Short mmCIF file of all heavy atoms in Angstrom, two decimals:
data_model
loop_
_atom_site.label_atom_id
_atom_site.label_comp_id
_atom_site.label_asym_id
_atom_site.label_seq_id
_atom_site.Cartn_x
_atom_site.Cartn_y
_atom_site.Cartn_z
N ARG A 30 27.48 50.52 149.42
CA ARG A 30 27.89 51.51 148.40
C ARG A 30 29.06 51.03 147.49
O ARG A 30 28.96 51.02 146.26
CB ARG A 30 28.21 52.87 149.04
CG ARG A 30 28.81 53.87 148.13
CD ARG A 30 28.90 55.24 148.81
NE ARG A 30 29.82 55.34 149.87
CZ ARG A 30 29.94 56.37 150.81
NH1 ARG A 30 29.13 57.44 150.59
NH2 ARG A 30 30.78 56.33 151.76
N PRO A 31 30.19 50.65 148.06
CA PRO A 31 31.29 50.23 147.25
C PRO A 31 30.93 49.04 146.28
O PRO A 31 31.52 48.92 145.19
CB PRO A 31 32.48 49.94 148.09
CG PRO A 31 31.83 49.65 149.46
CD PRO A 31 30.56 50.46 149.53
N ILE A 34 29.34 50.09 142.96
CA ILE A 34 30.32 50.71 141.97
C ILE A 34 31.09 49.52 141.30
O ILE A 34 31.24 49.58 140.06
CB ILE A 34 31.25 51.63 142.70
CG1 ILE A 34 30.42 52.91 143.15
CG2 ILE A 34 32.42 52.03 141.85
CD1 ILE A 34 30.90 53.68 144.28
N PHE A 74 23.30 55.25 142.83
CA PHE A 74 24.33 54.54 142.10
C PHE A 74 23.70 53.70 141.08
O PHE A 74 24.24 53.58 139.92
CB PHE A 74 25.22 53.74 143.07
CG PHE A 74 25.91 54.62 144.02
CD1 PHE A 74 25.47 54.80 145.29
CD2 PHE A 74 27.10 55.33 143.67
CE1 PHE A 74 26.10 55.66 146.18
CE2 PHE A 74 27.75 56.10 144.52
CZ PHE A 74 27.23 56.36 145.81
N MET A 197 37.52 48.42 140.16
CA MET A 197 37.34 49.82 140.39
C MET A 197 38.14 50.68 139.40
O MET A 197 37.84 51.83 139.10
CB MET A 197 37.66 50.18 141.79
CG MET A 197 36.65 49.54 142.84
SD MET A 197 36.92 50.18 144.47
CE MET A 197 35.94 51.72 144.42
N HIS A 231 34.55 56.65 157.76
CA HIS A 231 33.37 55.84 158.13
C HIS A 231 33.73 54.52 158.79
O HIS A 231 32.81 53.80 159.26
CB HIS A 231 32.54 55.58 156.90
CG HIS A 231 33.17 54.49 156.00
ND1 HIS A 231 34.03 54.79 155.08
CD2 HIS A 231 32.98 53.14 155.98
CE1 HIS A 231 34.38 53.65 154.42
NE2 HIS A 231 33.82 52.62 154.99
N ARG A 232 34.98 54.20 158.90
CA ARG A 232 35.41 52.87 159.30
C ARG A 232 34.94 52.69 160.83
O ARG A 232 35.24 53.65 161.64
CB ARG A 232 36.82 52.85 159.32
CG ARG A 232 37.80 51.92 158.63
CD ARG A 232 37.35 50.78 157.97
NE ARG A 232 37.51 50.99 156.48
CZ ARG A 232 37.03 50.20 155.55
NH1 ARG A 232 36.35 49.13 155.91
NH2 ARG A 232 37.12 50.57 154.30
N VAL A 285 27.94 61.96 148.30
CA VAL A 285 27.67 62.39 146.90
C VAL A 285 27.60 61.27 145.92
O VAL A 285 28.03 60.12 146.20
CB VAL A 285 28.80 63.39 146.47
CG1 VAL A 285 28.71 64.70 147.36
CG2 VAL A 285 30.09 62.80 146.47
N MET A 290 31.92 62.37 143.12
CA MET A 290 32.98 62.05 144.00
C MET A 290 34.28 61.95 143.25
O MET A 290 35.33 62.35 143.75
CB MET A 290 32.71 60.61 144.62
CG MET A 290 33.58 60.17 145.65
SD MET A 290 33.60 61.28 147.10
CE MET A 290 34.90 60.57 148.14
N SER A 304 38.64 55.05 153.83
CA SER A 304 37.92 54.21 152.89
C SER A 304 38.93 53.32 152.09
O SER A 304 40.13 53.74 151.84
CB SER A 304 37.17 55.09 151.96
OG SER A 304 36.93 54.39 150.67
N GLY A 305 38.42 52.07 151.74
CA GLY A 305 39.37 51.31 150.88
C GLY A 305 39.43 51.84 149.49
O GLY A 305 40.46 52.08 148.92
N GLY A 306 38.25 51.95 148.88
CA GLY A 306 38.08 52.39 147.51
C GLY A 306 38.73 53.76 147.21
O GLY A 306 39.30 54.02 146.23
N GLU A 310 41.34 55.25 144.35
CA GLU A 310 40.93 56.27 143.37
C GLU A 310 41.86 57.46 143.45
O GLU A 310 42.21 58.11 142.46
CB GLU A 310 39.48 56.61 143.61
CG GLU A 310 38.57 55.52 143.18
CD GLU A 310 37.10 55.67 143.72
OE1 GLU A 310 36.83 56.53 144.55
OE2 GLU A 310 36.20 54.90 143.28
N1 UDP B 19 31.85 57.27 147.17
C1 UDP B 19 30.83 58.07 146.59
N2 UDP B 19 30.27 59.10 147.32
C2 UDP B 19 30.68 59.40 148.53
C3 UDP B 19 31.74 58.64 149.16
C4 UDP B 19 32.25 57.60 148.45
O1 UDP B 19 30.49 57.82 145.47
O2 UDP B 19 30.14 60.33 149.15
C5 UDP B 19 32.45 56.27 146.45
C6 UDP B 19 33.99 56.29 146.24
O3 UDP B 19 34.29 57.10 145.16
C7 UDP B 19 34.37 54.77 146.06
C8 UDP B 19 33.33 54.07 147.05
O4 UDP B 19 32.25 55.03 147.17
O5 UDP B 19 34.09 54.41 144.71
C9 UDP B 19 34.02 53.85 148.30
O6 UDP B 19 33.02 53.40 149.20
P1 UDP B 19 33.19 53.54 150.76
O7 UDP B 19 34.25 54.48 151.15
O8 UDP B 19 31.84 53.69 151.29
O9 UDP B 19 33.66 51.95 151.20
P2 UDP B 19 35.00 51.25 151.21
O10 UDP B 19 35.68 51.35 149.88
O11 UDP B 19 35.83 51.76 152.29
O12 UDP B 19 34.62 49.82 151.48
#
Side-chain angles (χ1 to χ4, degrees):
R30 174 167 66 187
I34 291 156
F74 297 98
M197 290 189 88
H231 76 273
R232 239 354 105 190
V285 296
M290 187 64 182
S304 156
E310 287 164 353

